[in-house]
Amino acid sequence: MNRKELIQQIKEKKSFLCVGLDTDEKKIPAHLLDRKNPLFEFNKEIIDATAPYCVAYKPNLAFYEAHGLKGMEVFEQTIQYLKENYPRHFVIADAKRGDIGNTSKMYARTFFEEYQVDALTVAPYMGEDSVTPFMEYEDKWVILLALTSNKGSFDFQLTKDENGEQLFEKVIKRSQQWGNEDNMMYVVGATRGKMFEDIRRIAPDHFLLVPGVGAQGGSLEEVCKYGMTKDCGLLVNSSRGIIYASAGEDFDQAAAKAAHELQKEMETLLTTMCAF
């Protein structure tokens, strides 16, 4: 999916919601555990319930890899289900890959050729040759980790050099020599608030993937106030707050309700803050 198509989806749906498929066997409703393929059944019903209100899905690979081959089969089935039934939704593999060049080439082939996802999260800290192999694919996106919301981000991302430049700022500036706003996004945690202003000074037009709204306490209004662009420029992810809105048999209805409520809030913010 290219940038123009993604923006069109945001306009049509009046939403920039990404639903995170962090599917945990210990958290899905008990009645699904009797089914032949409970993890996929959960994903399928969540997708069907939330598709009208979101523009993207983000399966987190850790939740599938933890089950070995069986889990990866669920990941593949989920991607295939999305491609066949919701082909206009943007699909992100949250895998946080990144390694020396020849290894990155294999990772890129895995996700962009084998699974045919639209985007992949990538760790940038091994530098240019670990990232550029992912950019050889037309209409595919690299989503670089820039400024995360976890406590450990203070260990490296927020450290300053002798000129006062923070490491995450250096990463964003340097990486723009490798890609552009048509094939590169950045991960920025929703709890960073006013720091979105600093990021927009460095990367005014790139899309940002923003986790942390909902269960992690990030403010959607604050994210939009400091991070929204004329093209929206945001994909805001919610995982637990939507997919685990209920542990009962009504889990799909509860997920739909939570997604719809977030979409309506996004519609208001798009109307008041964006050029749409």
Side-chain angles (χ1 to χ4, degrees):
M1 180 181 290
N2 62 38
R3 181 185 175 95
K4 183 178 179 181
E5 291 168 335
L6 178 58
I7 293 170
Q8 186 60 34
Q9 279 296 291
I10 293 170
K11 288 181 177 180
E12 290 179 9
K13 291 236 177 129
K14 298 179 175 61
S15 171
F16 46 99
L17 175 61
C18 174
V19 174
L21 297 174
D22 299 5
T23 306
D24 187 341
E25 191 173 41
K26 296 180 179 179
K27 292 182 179 180
I28 67 175
H31 73 278
L32 292 177
L33 298 177
D34 294 329
R35 299 191 186 178
K36 183 178 179 180
N37 193 349
L39 297 178
F40 175 66
E41 289 296 326
F42 177 80
N43 281 356
K44 178 178 176 295
E45 294 195 35
I46 289 290
I47 291 166
D48 289 341
T50 59
Y53 312 115
C54 69
V55 296
Y57 288 98
K58 183 177 70 66
N60 185 329
L61 265 292
F63 289 85
Y64 302 89
E65 292 171 335
H67 296 277
L69 179 60
K70 177 184 174 183
M72 290 308 296
E73 287 175 347
V74 172
F75 172 75
E76 186 170 10
Q77 290 168 337
T78 300
I79 299 303
Q80 190 64 33
Y81 186 77
L82 285 165
K83 292 295 181 183
E84 290 177 356
N85 296 277
Y86 302 100
R88 299 184 71 195
H89 281 68
F90 192 72
V91 180
I92 302 165
D94 189 2
K96 300 178 180 70
R97 297 298 195 257
D99 206 331
I100 59 173
N102 61 339
T103 308
S104 281
K105 281 181 180 292
M106 294 298 104
Y107 282 139
R109 196 167 94 181
T110 298
F111 289 100
F112 292 149
E113 294 185 34
E114 181 67 21
Y115 295 124
Q116 297 184 30
V117 298
D118 296 299
L120 179 71
T121 56
V122 173
Y125 290 95
M126 287 184 69
E128 179 180 5
D129 60 327
S130 71
V131 174
T132 51
F134 297 101
M135 295 179 171
E136 296 174 2
Y137 292 82
E138 186 177 1
D139 294 340
K140 300 294 185 181
W141 297 75
V142 169
I143 308 180
L144 285 187
L145 299 176
L147 182 58
T148 57
S149 55
N150 61 307
K151 183 177 67 174
S153 64
F154 286 88
D155 292 338
F156 300 112
Q157 297 168 32
L158 293 168
T159 57
K160 296 180 180 180
D161 64 16
E162 63 277 8
N163 299 314
E165 185 176 56
Q166 296 175 99
L167 182 56
F168 82 87
E169 295 175 307
K170 193 183 298 289
V171 168
I172 294 174
K173 288 178 182 177
R174 184 61 178 266
S175 64
Q176 288 181 60
Q177 299 173 20
W178 315 334
N180 54 53
E181 62 268 19
D182 293 321
N183 63 6
M184 182 182 285
M185 302 185 188
Y186 296 101
V187 175
V188 182
T191 56
R192 291 306 178 184
K194 201 170 186 296
M195 291 184 76
F196 278 82
E197 273 190 328
D198 298 326
I199 289 164
R200 281 305 182 204
R201 278 194 287 270
I202 306 168
D205 298 317
H206 287 72
F207 263 84
L208 307 179
L209 174 63
V210 185
V213 166
Q216 294 182 47
S219 165
L220 179 62
E221 185 172 357
E222 195 169 55
V223 167
C224 292
K225 179 180 179 180
Y226 298 115
M228 186 173 277
T229 69
K230 62 181 177 60
D231 293 326
C232 180
L234 300 169
L235 288 176
V236 171
N237 182 79
S238 179
S239 300
R240 288 171 287 169
I242 290 176
I243 68 175
Y244 300 128
S246 170
E249 294 193 10
D250 67 338
F251 76 97
D252 55 336
Q253 299 169 45
K257 183 174 183 292
H260 192 198
E261 288 174 354
L262 203 47
Q263 180 271 319
K264 294 304 290 184
E265 188 177 351
M266 288 178 172
E267 181 176 355
T268 299
L269 291 165
L270 283 168
T271 301
T272 56
M273 297 184 182
C274 197
F276 290 177

